[in-house]
Amino acid sequence: MSPQGACRSLPPSFALDADAMSRAAQNGTVVVTFTNRMQSLFALNWARRLQVVGLRSLVGVSQQLDSTTNEAMTDAGAVLFCAETANMMASNGQAGRWAEALPVLRMARQLSLSVLLSDSDIAWVRNPLPYFAAAVASHPRLDLLMMTDRAFNGYSHAPLRIQPPRLPPAWSERAVRDASLKSQHSVDLELEPGYESSISYNIGVILFLSHALQKHEEMIGRWVVSVGGDSSSSHSRRGELASWDQEPINKKVLQVGLRSDGEDRRLVRVDSGRLAMGVLPMLQFTTAFTYFMHGKRRESLRARPYCVHAIFAHGKDV
């Protein structure tokens, strides 16, 4: 398979191809983030945290990183690839990454891989892949999963109907024994009610399931347009890219024609009803804000967190 797009400012070895994605994938999923020089330490921490929980990763870079960081990324199990083909990352590394996500989804579709797209300011503290598999088993209509940064008391606290296996099968015998002691009494929680959570869908964590990647590509194309990019050309923009991409993505794409799924009330139909989305449990896929605010409640439910997103306040409060 040929590389997806040509790099202008990075060596040809950074082109995204099937081999690079296959090396980064595990258990049918590739875990991806995007970064530049200014945010590279976030991405390095992100990759190291994934390595600790047993996962490799794929990191899109818009410019050459220094040799020390490049080497550290490799040591952390990260595969670097070119993410500057659409000429948007230089303008806004946050909103500009959506055009760069399109080649990732296309390559994943060729390889029948799901894509876990994560912001680089997220620290993974548990391997989420077993949870995702259990969520799909519990809710077979799922096409994608997303988190929420809504801080509220009506959060999900019921156990997920099908609990994930406690340990990935590839772990060593000693790791199995050690981790079993830690997770013996843990419980994983049900998805949040999707429609009721629409006030604050968070694009920091998104799982694009492999069976719906064609629809996901089409939706991401609409995301690009919603934040000011033009998906019809890899080198053009429509106006300026949004400084904060979550709001236009929510209002102009996800929430258009929003309704509950007719057969599974936990799920919500997004993108004019094209996709069935689940919202990850707020107590386990947390922001730094909700991680501390609801810590005691999470402990009482024995619901160990999967990740912490570095969002420290709402409304620019002190």
Side-chain angles (χ1 to χ4, degrees):
M1 298 178 189
S2 60
Q4 299 288 304
C7 296
R8 297 183 305 280
S9 63
L10 291 166
S13 59
F14 280 78
L16 180 63
D17 59 20
D19 177 66
M21 184 168 283
S22 296
R23 283 187 284 116
Q26 55 268 293
N27 295 332
T29 303
V30 61
V31 188
V32 187
T33 198
F34 295 90
T35 194
N36 53 29
R37 285 196 192 104
M38 288 195 302
Q39 298 175 321
S40 61
L41 291 183
F42 276 108
L44 178 57
N45 180 70
W46 175 89
R48 284 172 168 166
R49 291 304 313 167
L50 285 168
Q51 185 181 48
V52 167
V53 302
L55 296 176
R56 299 181 296 276
S57 56
L58 191 64
V59 179
V61 292
S62 60
Q63 53 200 166
Q64 185 71 274
L65 306 179
D66 64 86
S67 58
T68 300
T69 304
N70 273 342
E71 185 177 343
M73 287 282 196
T74 300
D75 289 344
V79 176
L80 302 182
F81 73 97
C82 171
E84 50 89 41
T85 58
N87 202 30
M88 295 184 189
M89 290 279 285
S91 173
N92 184 330
Q94 182 77 3
R97 75 192 190 276
W98 299 117
E100 301 295 344
L102 282 168
V104 174
L105 295 184
R106 293 187 189 114
M107 181 61 69
R109 182 154 59 93
Q110 293 179 36
L111 300 174
S112 298
L113 294 172
S114 296
V115 176
L116 173 55
L117 185 55
S118 164
D119 281 1
S120 64
D121 61 346
I122 285 176
W124 290 96
V125 295
R126 290 175 67 194
N127 182 345
L129 299 189
Y131 179 90
F132 296 152
V136 171
S138 298
H139 302 277
R141 292 172 61 81
L142 269 173
D143 295 318
L144 76 156
L145 285 162
M146 194 175 293
M147 67 185 300
T148 177
D149 56 12
R150 183 183 177 195
F152 65 119
N153 288 322
Y155 47 76
S156 177
H157 55 81
L160 187 66
R161 183 171 63 85
I162 298 174
Q163 288 290 298
R166 286 286 162 249
L167 300 163
W171 282 20
S172 69
E173 185 176 344
R174 178 175 178 178
V176 167
R177 290 198 304 269
D178 293 346
S180 293
L181 295 175
K182 298 177 183 177
S183 62
Q184 187 175 10
H185 304 295
S186 63
V187 173
D188 283 297
L189 301 179
E190 182 58 272
L191 301 177
E192 303 292 348
Y195 185 83
E196 291 79 1
S197 300
S198 63
I199 189 173
S200 195
Y201 297 142
N202 186 288
I203 53 179
V205 171
I206 313 168
L207 178 70
F208 300 102
L209 289 165
S210 59
H211 71 268
L213 281 175
Q214 178 67 58
K215 292 181 180 179
H216 294 321
E217 289 175 39
E218 295 165 359
M219 180 180 69
I220 291 291
R222 286 184 277 275
W223 287 20
V224 174
V225 173
S226 76
V227 300
D230 184 353
S231 62
S232 64
S233 169
S234 62
H235 296 287
S236 64
R237 287 183 292 149
R238 183 184 302 170
E240 294 297 319
L241 290 175
S243 59
W244 184 42
D245 51 345
Q246 184 164 295
E247 183 174 40
I249 286 171
N250 276 346
K251 291 184 176 179
K252 295 182 180 180
V253 183
L254 288 174
Q255 295 176 2
V256 174
L258 193 74
R259 58 181 171 81
S260 292
D261 185 87
E263 297 184 31
D264 187 336
R265 301 294 291 180
R266 283 276 167 180
L267 307 184
V268 60
R269 304 297 302 191
V270 297
D271 190 23
S272 300
R274 297 179 181 93
L275 291 159
M277 187 176 84
V279 179
L280 294 163
M282 183 267 286
L283 287 179
Q284 294 189 285
F285 294 81
T286 75
T287 67
F289 189 58
T290 56
Y291 175 86
F292 291 106
M293 177 181 287
H294 298 284
K296 290 184 178 179
R297 178 57 169 158
R298 183 172 50 250
E299 290 174 8
S300 71
L301 292 169
R302 307 192 311 277
R304 297 166 58 219
Y306 280 98
C307 65
V308 185
H309 193 178
I311 299 173
F312 294 99
H314 283 215
K316 298 182 181 177
D317 293 337
V318 177

